Amino acid sequence: MKKIKLIIVIGLLSITIPQMNVNTFTVQAATVKKVSGVKKSKVKEGSYFYSKKKYYDGCYRKISWKKIKGVKGYQIYRYDYYAKKWNKILTTKNTSFKITDMCEGEKVKLKVRAYKKKKGKKIYGKFSKSLTYTEKSELYYTKNDKLIKKGCYASGVNGYHKYCDQQAFMLQNDYRKKANVVKLEWSDVLYEICKVRAKDIVDEFSHKKLDSTAKNILKNKYGYEEWMLWGNVGTKGYGVCIISGENIFSGSSSPKQAMKSWKTSQGHYHNMVHPDYRYGAIASYKGCWAAVFSMVDVDEIVLNNNTESLEPVLKILDRE
């Protein structure tokens, strides 16, 4: 009987100890208040001269919220509409930050939470209500021609805007849906090609450099040198190019404007809704846009040497 009692006591202890930990954590977490009052300012002019060695140019918005006493800092998250997830973009001790390097028409959704530190661990409060808006201005803020980073969140990186680019990609897929065509899958490899192509057309608005640019990126960045993929259907042989088409546009940083321009052009719209195109990407740089399309899964082929996506394409070519 003594052994049985001992087993019961041990069992009770093993149940109650985790319960004590949960209660302790709940009390601690409750001490961090929920952030409130998140808002955006009007566009602020940032152009002024400080001295001959320091000069500022551009504009920005300020995102701010109400201060919470006793907290260590704040974390800001932005929603990725394409990936359908929240990403942490900034940690700050301040109750505001500048948001800059944004495209006109770029969708923004933000939320903020406060945190404390206790025994080396962060204890978080609840997230604020989301601040959602569409940027109506093209924002940039520089110091001596370089993007200001301190106290800022820059949507773009090195002049590129992946959040905005993927929003344009979603608009393109909306056109495909209306045309009863399967949506395109995003390709990270093709995005690297698009980024360089968008930069190319700032100086030369032409498709001439597409092949050479794409081949250089595939070789130098990924160590991949094939441009044509070959295969057989029965006794017949066919070749498929890595890239099947390209659209370019210049004149606006707005993803909506770029997509509308392509939609009203027969050749560009043909690429956008081509039923045999299954993969693609879009990139923008200084108001110039490039979209590339492929019939094959370029990421799997280039990164994993997986050519399974080639087989259905060969069958399409054989039917034609």
Side-chain angles (χ1 to χ4, degrees):
M1 291 298 292
K2 289 183 179 180
K3 290 183 179 180
I4 294 173
K5 288 181 179 179
L6 181 60
I7 292 170
I8 293 171
V9 171
I10 292 172
L12 289 172
L13 286 173
S14 66
I15 294 170
T16 55
I17 289 172
Q19 186 64 40
M20 289 170 62
N21 289 340
V22 171
N23 290 339
T24 302
F25 178 79
T26 303
V27 171
Q28 291 173 347
T31 62
V32 183
K33 292 183 179 180
K34 179 179 178 179
V35 172
S36 62
V38 181
K39 60 182 180 180
K40 64 179 175 67
S41 71
K42 293 181 179 179
V43 175
K44 294 181 177 291
E45 181 66 32
S47 302
Y48 63 92
F49 291 87
Y50 179 73
S51 70
K52 292 182 179 179
K53 294 183 179 180
K54 294 180 182 179
Y55 61 94
Y56 297 79
D57 191 23
C59 53
Y60 59 88
R61 287 188 191 273
K62 184 174 281 190
I63 307 298
S64 61
W65 53 91
K66 292 181 180 179
K67 184 177 181 179
I68 299 176
K69 291 183 179 180
V71 300
K72 186 71 174 178
Y74 304 89
Q75 291 182 336
I76 299 92
Y77 280 70
R78 181 177 180 182
Y79 187 68
D80 184 333
Y81 283 94
Y82 183 78
K84 296 181 180 180
K85 67 176 184 177
W86 288 93
N87 297 321
K88 185 173 70 174
I89 60 170
L90 197 65
T91 299
T92 180
K93 294 181 179 180
N94 301 318
T95 55
S96 67
F97 68 95
K98 299 179 183 72
I99 188 166
T100 185
D101 204 27
M102 303 280 291
C103 292
E104 178 189 351
E106 186 171 347
K107 292 182 179 180
V108 184
K109 190 175 183 180
L110 304 168
K111 63 182 181 180
V112 185
R113 68 177 177 180
Y115 68 89
K116 288 182 178 180
K117 279 189 176 181
K118 188 169 184 178
K119 295 181 179 179
K121 294 183 178 180
K122 287 183 178 179
I123 303 166
Y124 300 97
K126 291 183 178 180
F127 279 106
S128 66
K129 290 183 179 180
S130 298
L131 171 66
T132 305
Y133 67 96
T134 299
E135 182 52 64
K136 296 182 179 179
S137 304
E138 183 177 0
L139 305 181
Y140 69 96
Y141 188 37
T142 61
K143 174 183 175 182
N144 295 351
D145 293 328
K146 292 183 179 179
L147 193 68
I148 294 175
K149 295 181 179 179
K150 188 175 181 180
C152 287
Y153 163 64
S155 171
V157 178
N158 298 324
Y160 300 104
H161 302 78
K162 192 170 184 178
Y163 276 92
C164 188
D165 297 340
Q166 289 187 325
Q167 288 173 24
F169 193 75
M170 292 170 69
L171 290 173
Q172 181 175 252
N173 271 335
D174 287 343
Y175 289 139
R176 291 178 68 87
K177 184 178 180 180
K178 290 177 182 178
N180 294 317
V181 178
V182 65
K183 73 175 184 178
L184 293 175
E185 296 294 331
W186 178 270
S187 165
D188 287 329
V189 174
L190 293 180
Y191 183 57
E192 294 302 316
I193 294 171
C194 283
K195 284 162 63 177
V196 179
R197 286 294 298 133
K199 195 172 184 178
D200 283 345
I201 63 176
V202 172
D203 298 319
E204 183 180 352
F205 191 79
S206 166
H207 295 288
K208 291 179 181 179
K209 292 184 178 180
L210 172 60
D211 287 7
S212 60
T213 294
K215 289 176 182 178
N216 285 337
I217 292 171
L218 291 173
K219 180 180 179 180
N220 297 330
K221 188 175 181 67
Y222 300 104
Y224 188 85
E225 298 190 39
E226 299 296 329
W227 184 242
M228 293 292 294
L229 304 171
W230 301 93
N232 296 317
V233 178
T235 58
K236 298 178 182 178
Y238 298 95
V240 180
C241 190
I242 287 285
I243 293 177
S244 302
E246 179 188 53
N247 283 350
I248 57 176
F249 168 79
S250 177
S252 174
S253 70
S254 166
K256 191 173 182 180
Q257 184 61 42
M259 296 308 104
K260 277 187 175 181
S261 174
W262 289 340
K263 186 179 184 297
T264 56
S265 166
Q266 184 176 354
H268 293 92
Y269 184 67
H270 175 76
N271 277 341
M272 292 176 79
V273 299
H274 197 301
D276 295 337
Y277 295 165
R278 298 300 172 90
Y279 305 89
I282 296 176
S284 60
Y285 185 84
K286 293 184 177 180
C288 293
W289 294 79
V292 293
F293 307 87
S294 181
M295 299 173 71
V296 294
D297 189 342
V298 180
D299 288 8
E300 278 296 310
I301 291 169
V302 173
L303 301 177
N304 301 320
N305 198 29
N306 180 356
T307 59
E308 287 183 10
S309 64
L310 179 60
E311 293 182 15
V313 176
L314 295 175
K315 292 178 181 179
I316 291 172
L317 296 176
D318 188 56
R319 288 200 303 267
E320 295 176 350

